[in-house]
Amino acid sequence: MADERVHAFGDDALGEHDAVGLAALVRSGEVSAEELARAAAERARKVDAALEPVAFAAYGTPVARAERTAPLYGVPSFLKDNVDLRGMPTGQGSAAFRARPARRTAGFAVQFLGTGLSVLGKTRLPEFGLNASTEYAAADPVRNPWRTTHSPGASSGGSAALVAAGVVPIAHANDGGGSIRIPAACCGLVGLKPTRGRLVANDQGRRLPIDLVTDGVVTRSVRDTAAFFAAAERQHRNPALPALGLVEGPGKDPLRIGLLIDSPTATADADTRRTVEATAARLEAMGHRVEPVELPFGRQFQQDFTAYWGFIAFLIAATGKLMHDPGFRPGRLDGLTSGLRRGFQREFTRLPGVLRRLRQMEQPYEDLFRTHDAILSPVLAHVPPPLGHLSPNVPFDELIERLHHYVAYTPVNNVTGGPGIALPTGATAEGLPVGVHLSAARGQERILLELAYALEADRPWRRIQD
């Protein structure tokens, strides 16, 4: 395929509006939800051959269950193909079983629909969300709209490709090691991984001894992300966390921000370093204090996280017939899932120590925010790679080493439960997006959104259609 930029923006009912703008048009009667759904379906068809982001399409029968008063009523969207929605298959990106229509709607999907969003289908993910690129052993990959020879990230790569290409302004994503923030960084989007427990618990994550998985969205504007979380809080509010409400702009107080460019296990590449340093300078110009900080986590954390990832792969293989389909075939799992599973089986006796050490990370993480309001870092150690670099067909030992280097920042937030947001503040000379990451203490998403608003207002995000 030619190395090109692909998008679907045009002169239709969707225009160039974000989700908040479209919801306002529906409320005013200037456009109907049906018109928006038709326009989004047409846009999806326009880019599907080039990007292949859609796992299942329901363009003729979109699912919408909210009252017209819901904040995002009428805005078309997609669910990631690892969350059940009754009547739609849930394929998990895997060739190991045949996906059949779900018999129930997951709790988070109920909350998602309750915000007013309508669901036009499911988006593709790598097998069981385990990879950091949306690629497959024997199927075409999802492609990055900014440069179709490159990865859109993962595991919410299909959702990110659709939003970046202008098919819909907002789409579901979830994150067990960076899977909201990684594709947001690769595709030039905003991606907030909330505090564990902020939204309805993910069906898969809550079954694990340490729940790594949180749901959310990827968007093109900060206000869409803020509007989604405010609308979701109307459906479900966790009393153990500070109320978030609707965050509508930058904060007023100067903050103390820690700066981390090189992780304990990886060195950022030149484009990433340049982007983080430039973002730090912008924050300082706004009156914030930015100073170097070190994480109290090193190679032991990387080893433990990989071991836990292997435990998840083992559970997938062991319970596939029960959890997914009686015809589940572990022998058809891809090279990454199979390699992680084998690694766990070789060292399964380490699991108690792995769980103990991972659980002990929560306090050192919170201690970082006794002296800092937020921490600025890269999302990833290098820019989006060409497709094939993280293919599950790469020999396992080589692939896992590449993943260790690439995904060197985001998993800490999943283990500790802290929030993190990816913001599209940079780009390579070739035009590929480069993201930065901001972390905060548990329950402090407001700080992250206020900083995101300030950065967006100071220098609006690049637009793919320009």
Side-chain angles (χ1 to χ4, degrees):
M1 170 172 286
D3 187 357
E4 59 185 5
R5 186 179 293 191
V6 172
H7 71 80
F9 285 99
D11 186 17
D12 58 14
L14 292 166
E16 296 186 0
H17 298 290
D18 65 1
V20 173
L22 291 174
L25 292 176
V26 173
R27 283 194 298 274
S28 71
E30 293 181 52
V31 68
S32 70
E34 293 73 21
E35 288 176 284
L36 295 182
R38 286 195 297 270
E42 186 57 35
R43 287 189 178 193
R45 295 186 185 101
K46 180 179 178 181
V47 305
D48 189 62
L51 303 178
E52 300 193 50
V54 179
F56 176 80
Y59 302 149
T61 55
V63 177
R65 296 183 181 171
E67 300 293 332
R68 293 187 64 90
T69 54
L72 296 176
Y73 179 81
V75 178
S77 188
F78 285 79
L79 272 179
K80 186 175 172 180
D81 192 26
N82 63 355
V83 170
D84 285 345
L85 182 59
R86 185 176 180 180
M88 292 189 188
T90 305
Q92 297 283 354
S94 180
F97 70 101
R98 178 184 173 188
R100 292 179 169 83
R103 297 180 180 179
R104 60 181 287 278
T105 296
F108 171 75
V110 173
Q111 185 178 28
F112 187 84
L113 290 166
T115 67
L117 295 169
S118 62
V119 175
L120 276 65
K122 296 283 200 75
T123 63
R124 294 175 79 200
L125 70 155
E127 185 169 78
F128 292 100
L130 293 175
N131 204 347
S133 185
T134 310
E135 301 183 51
Y136 307 90
D140 291 338
V142 177
R143 298 179 181 274
N144 191 321
W146 289 89
R147 199 172 184 186
T148 53
T149 53
H150 282 62
S151 171
S155 64
S156 309
S159 292
L162 285 170
V163 174
V167 173
V168 289
I170 183 171
H172 168 234
N174 49 31
D175 193 315
S179 297
I180 294 171
R181 296 158 290 160
I182 291 169
C186 291
C187 292
L189 304 174
V190 176
L192 171 63
K193 185 209 86 69
T195 302
R196 182 187 295 138
R198 174 67 70 185
L199 301 179
V200 172
N202 180 278
D203 278 359
Q204 300 164 69
R206 67 183 176 186
R207 298 189 185 106
L208 298 171
I210 298 175
D211 184 359
L212 301 179
V213 185
T214 50
D215 287 281
V217 291
V218 286
T219 70
R220 296 192 299 268
S221 71
V222 178
R223 75 170 184 169
D224 275 2
T225 294
F228 172 80
F229 280 94
E233 192 171 62
R234 289 174 40 155
Q235 306 299 310
H236 165 81
R237 179 175 170 325
N238 184 347
L241 295 174
L244 181 57
L246 179 60
V247 184
E248 298 184 90
K252 297 179 180 179
D253 298 328
L255 303 178
R256 189 174 179 184
I257 300 173
L259 175 63
L260 173 76
I261 297 181
D262 295 324
S263 87
T265 59
T267 301
D269 71 1
D271 286 309
T272 301
R273 181 178 298 276
R274 187 181 309 115
T275 297
V276 176
E277 289 175 342
T279 304
R282 290 168 60 193
L283 290 168
E284 285 186 319
M286 295 174 191
H288 302 298
R289 179 179 173 183
V290 181
E291 58 190 20
V293 69
E294 292 185 3
L295 289 182
F297 317 117
R299 293 198 177 276
Q300 184 64 59
F301 167 67
Q302 184 185 73
Q303 294 167 7
D304 288 341
F305 188 83
T306 303
Y308 191 65
W309 218 230
F311 169 63
I312 292 171
F314 171 79
L315 290 178
I316 289 167
T319 66
K321 292 181 184 295
L322 176 66
M323 300 301 299
H324 300 293
D325 185 81
F328 187 94
R329 296 166 64 183
R332 297 192 65 185
L333 292 168
D334 72 21
L336 177 60
T337 308
S338 298
L340 287 166
R341 173 194 179 193
R342 288 193 302 270
F344 172 77
Q345 288 174 313
R346 284 194 302 268
E347 301 184 356
F348 70 93
T349 56
R350 293 183 55 225
L351 183 60
V354 166
L355 294 177
R356 183 181 67 254
R357 287 188 295 273
L358 291 178
R359 288 174 174 140
Q360 289 172 345
M361 287 180 57
E362 291 189 15
Q363 192 57 54
Y365 178 86
E366 287 298 302
D367 288 345
L368 289 169
F369 299 101
R370 295 181 186 278
T371 54
H372 295 86
D373 300 292
I375 294 174
L376 171 67
S377 73
V379 179
L380 296 156
H382 61 77
V383 300
L387 289 165
H389 180 74
L390 297 176
S391 166
N393 294 325
V394 172
F396 177 75
D397 289 345
E398 184 176 355
L399 176 57
I400 202 70
E401 189 60 34
R402 291 178 180 182
L403 286 168
H404 281 162
H405 179 69
Y406 186 48
V407 187
Y409 301 87
T410 53
V412 167
N413 300 72
N414 298 89
V415 172
T416 63
I421 193 168
L423 301 172
T425 62
T428 68
E430 296 78 20
L432 278 168
V434 180
V436 300
H437 188 259
L438 286 161
S439 299
R442 285 175 290 181
Q444 297 304 314
E445 288 91 337
R446 173 172 289 273
I447 288 174
L448 300 181
L449 288 167
E450 288 177 345
L451 286 170
Y453 268 119
L455 288 166
E456 184 183 40
D458 175 62
R459 191 173 302 165
W461 320 135
R462 292 188 312 144
R463 306 192 319 165
I464 198 171
Q465 64 267 43
D466 290 339

